Amino acid sequence: AVVGPVDETEARQFLRTALNAAAYYTDGPPAGERANAAVRREYNSITAWVAASYPFGRDADLEALRMIAAMARDRVGFSVARREVYDTRAEVVRHARGGELRLHVVVPPGEVERWADRLQAPVASFAEAPLPPGPFAERLRRFRGERLAELDTPEARARELARELMLTGRRGTELLRLDGLTAARLHEAARALPPAVMVLLGPGLGAAEEETPADEAPAGEPQEEPTAPP
């Protein structure tokens, strides 16, 4: 599939070259038509970006934080119950003094305030109590596979070792430290995180914007003088 502002002829030529002699067929897009449905009239398709950043120090349990990030991503990502989520990302970013655990979601503007709270809920729940043994073991197996996939090339492993040497001064070959990772370690790592720094980027839909303007108030009702925002 090719998506975006591309030249159709160039895209077809590129795909033919990339696929060699493989059989293919073309199917044009369905004919579009304007719909008068409420969702087309009222839905705001512009998106907003919501992020929660949890800073940590040099002595943080990095593998525990990476697993916390992965589990938090699972809990806020797109699903049948969260169809308003367009995109999700979770990452642990390191720098010389420590780093930060970042959670991002992309949602419609009208969902920003609700997601500013929902985005912090997973880490808060991990800090309340350790995961039960069964769910933790199952998620750890999956997390181990995810981490192995991240380091599946020599270039990725070399980059990780170089970063470790630059940030800590330690030389070594051990990239994964998952054997001793426990539910208790995750719990302690989550408890050690400070409150999140929230970042909201995008248009807002405040209640004031949705109210009927004063000059359109029904006849016979008093109109209040507008007040300046604080």
Side-chain angles (χ1 to χ4, degrees):
V2 180
V3 180
V6 298
D7 181 86
E8 183 177 349
T9 301
E10 292 182 359
R12 289 179 184 274
Q13 291 175 349
F14 173 79
L15 291 176
R16 288 175 183 173
T17 302
L19 297 174
N20 297 321
Y24 73 98
Y25 72 95
T26 60
D27 186 10
E33 60 181 28
R34 284 188 174 274
N36 292 322
V39 67
R40 296 294 298 273
R41 295 195 308 267
E42 301 172 4
Y43 186 74
N44 192 328
S45 61
I46 298 175
T47 57
W49 182 76
V50 184
S53 174
Y54 297 86
F56 57 80
R58 295 179 179 177
D59 298 328
D61 190 337
L62 293 176
E63 291 298 349
L65 290 176
R66 290 189 179 104
M67 188 170 175
I68 288 173
M71 294 191 302
R73 182 190 61 223
D74 294 345
R75 294 196 181 187
V76 299
F78 173 82
S79 71
V80 174
R82 296 183 294 273
R83 289 179 290 181
E84 72 274 22
V85 177
Y86 294 111
D87 192 21
T88 312
R89 180 178 298 180
E91 56 188 337
V92 172
V93 182
R94 298 178 62 190
H95 51 68
R97 297 182 180 179
E100 59 181 303
L101 187 160
R102 296 177 185 169
L103 301 176
H104 312 198
V105 291
V106 180
V107 295
E111 300 287 334
V112 166
E113 291 185 2
R114 186 164 69 97
W115 272 98
D117 295 328
R118 292 185 66 177
L119 198 56
Q120 303 174 68
V123 173
S125 68
F126 301 147
E128 288 178 1
L131 289 174
F136 172 78
E138 178 63 28
R139 191 59 183 86
L140 179 60
R141 283 193 292 270
R142 179 179 163 194
F143 177 65
R144 187 186 299 274
E146 292 170 352
R147 289 288 289 142
L148 289 172
E150 290 174 359
L151 301 171
D152 64 347
T153 64
E155 293 82 3
R157 294 191 290 272
R159 184 170 58 248
E160 195 73 14
L161 289 171
R163 182 181 292 112
E164 186 73 13
L165 178 62
M166 179 184 68
L167 294 176
T168 68
R170 294 194 298 265
R171 298 175 181 269
T173 57
E174 184 182 9
L175 294 176
L176 297 177
R177 302 178 178 89
L178 301 180
D179 290 339
L181 193 55
T182 63
R185 274 179 57 182
L186 256 68
H187 176 54
E188 290 303 319
R191 289 184 59 190
L193 291 173
V197 176
M198 300 302 300
V199 180
L200 312 177
L201 179 62
L205 296 178
E209 299 176 10
E210 300 174 0
E211 295 176 354
T212 303
D215 57 358
E216 296 181 10
E221 294 186 6
Q223 298 184 13
E224 296 180 1
E225 291 295 328
T227 58

